[in-house]
């Protein structure tokens, strides 16, 4: 939600390069300490003049977004290069038992980036063995009694593991499984510019009927 709202107010998220030193994490982390969310927001207002109301209360979208930006810069500044980041990520991603620790570490390092969004980030930069345990998948798996925890983080973990299991059974990667369930849940076939409405509840109902599961 943040990139969409913020991007529309500044003429596109790419315009943040004017404030973030052409998206250079080393420069950003040198200028902004982790407590400098307000300072970064003031720079954005001065340089980009965002449209609409800018709330500065701690839980408002702009300060939270700035927290994530600054934390991301400090996190990436730990690595000498993109290659060194990938080498670090590979250490976890290539070990099935250690894999869940990678998005967990990223979610701890960066405020506003929870476990599901960290998985999504990894998936989008090329780690196709990560699916995103988002609300659609968790709701489907929960209704089918495939995950059982009431704790949000445990649900995320169980969903990630289940995506992996389904991928193995179907001889594909987690990314493909993620896409299938996301399309069922959202109904947004974005590559075809087609929206058919959400089919999550219909899928759950038909699956329960097929496997003779209680409604």
């Amino acid at each position: 939600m943040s990139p969409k709202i913020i991007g529309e107010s500044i003429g596109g998220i790419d315009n943040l390069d004017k404030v973030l030193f052409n998206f250079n994490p080393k420069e950003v982390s040198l200028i902004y300490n982790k407590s400098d969310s307000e300072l970064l927001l003031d720079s954005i207002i001065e340089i980009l003049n965002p449209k609409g109301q800018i709330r500065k209360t701690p839980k408002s979208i702009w300060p939270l977004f700035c927290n994530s930006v600054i934390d991301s810069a400090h996190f990436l500044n730990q690595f000498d290069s993109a290659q060194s980041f990938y080498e670090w990520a590979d250490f976890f991603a290539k070990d099935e038992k250690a894999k869940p620790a990678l998005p967990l570490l990223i979610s701890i390092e960066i405020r506003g980036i929870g476990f599901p969004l960290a998985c999504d980030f990894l998936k989008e930069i090329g780690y196709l063995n990560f699916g995103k345990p988002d609300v659609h998948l968790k709701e489907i798996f929960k209704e089918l009694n495939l995950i059982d925890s009431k704790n949000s983080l445990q649900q995320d973990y169980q969903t990630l593991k289940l995506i992996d299991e389904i991928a193995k059974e179907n001889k594909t990667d987690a990314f493909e499984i993620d896409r299938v369930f996301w399309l069922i849940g959202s109904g947004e076939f974005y590559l075809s510019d087609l929206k058919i409405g959400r089919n999550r509840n219909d899928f759950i109902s038909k699956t329960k009927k097929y496997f003779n599961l209680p409604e």
Side-chain angles (χ1 to χ4, degrees):
M1 182 177 68
S2 295
K4 179 176 174 58
I5 293 173
I6 289 169
E8 288 179 356
S9 73
I10 59 174
I13 205 76
D14 288 347
N15 279 328
L16 283 171
D17 67 348
K18 299 176 179 66
V19 181
L20 301 177
F21 308 97
N22 200 27
F23 299 111
N24 185 321
K26 291 189 181 295
E27 291 293 330
V28 174
S29 61
L30 281 172
I31 299 299
Y32 299 104
N33 294 321
K34 289 197 173 187
S35 59
D36 284 341
S37 172
E38 188 173 351
L39 182 62
L40 174 57
L41 180 52
D42 288 341
S43 296
I44 291 172
I45 292 171
E46 180 183 351
I47 296 170
L48 299 178
N49 190 26
K51 295 183 292 186
Q53 185 177 11
I54 308 295
R55 292 188 175 91
K56 291 189 174 184
T57 52
K59 293 186 177 181
S60 296
I61 192 166
W62 276 97
L64 291 175
F65 183 77
C66 289
N67 283 336
S68 297
V69 169
I70 292 172
D71 282 358
S72 298
H74 281 268
F75 170 66
L76 290 173
N77 195 34
Q78 300 176 72
F79 305 97
D80 294 330
S81 63
Q83 182 180 348
S84 64
F85 167 80
Y86 277 102
E87 288 172 353
W88 173 79
D90 285 348
F91 174 81
F92 296 95
K94 292 181 178 179
D95 185 327
E96 286 301 311
K97 292 180 180 178
K99 189 174 81 168
L102 180 55
L104 180 61
L105 284 169
I106 292 173
S107 70
I108 292 170
E109 289 273 1
I110 304 172
R111 288 168 289 179
I113 306 295
F115 189 93
L117 201 53
C119 290
D120 193 49
F121 162 71
L122 292 164
K123 171 170 62 69
E124 295 300 327
I125 64 169
Y127 289 99
L128 301 185
N129 59 332
F130 279 92
K132 180 186 178 185
D134 73 358
V135 62
H136 295 302
L137 280 84
K138 287 194 286 187
E139 189 62 29
I140 289 171
F141 293 164
K142 191 164 55 176
E143 285 295 318
L144 297 178
N145 293 318
L146 298 173
I147 58 175
D148 55 17
S149 176
K150 293 181 180 179
N151 177 280
S152 179
L153 182 57
Q154 287 180 336
Q155 279 189 3
D156 292 339
Y157 173 76
Q158 290 173 356
T159 300
L160 183 69
K161 298 285 284 184
L162 191 54
I163 292 170
D164 287 345
E165 290 176 21
I166 296 171
K168 285 181 181 178
E169 286 292 323
N170 290 276
K171 296 180 174 58
T172 187
D173 53 50
F175 175 82
E176 297 294 338
I177 302 303
D178 174 281
R179 289 297 86 185
V180 168
F181 281 105
W182 186 83
L183 289 170
I184 291 169
S186 69
E188 295 187 14
F189 290 75
Y190 55 94
L191 293 179
S192 303
D193 196 25
L194 177 66
K195 295 183 180 181
I196 64 171
R198 295 180 178 181
N199 288 273
R200 185 176 71 193
N201 293 338
D202 189 38
F203 176 82
I204 291 168
S205 178
K206 288 181 177 179
T207 303
K208 284 183 175 181
K209 184 176 181 180
Y210 183 85
F211 289 103
N212 293 315
L213 299 174
E215 290 288 340

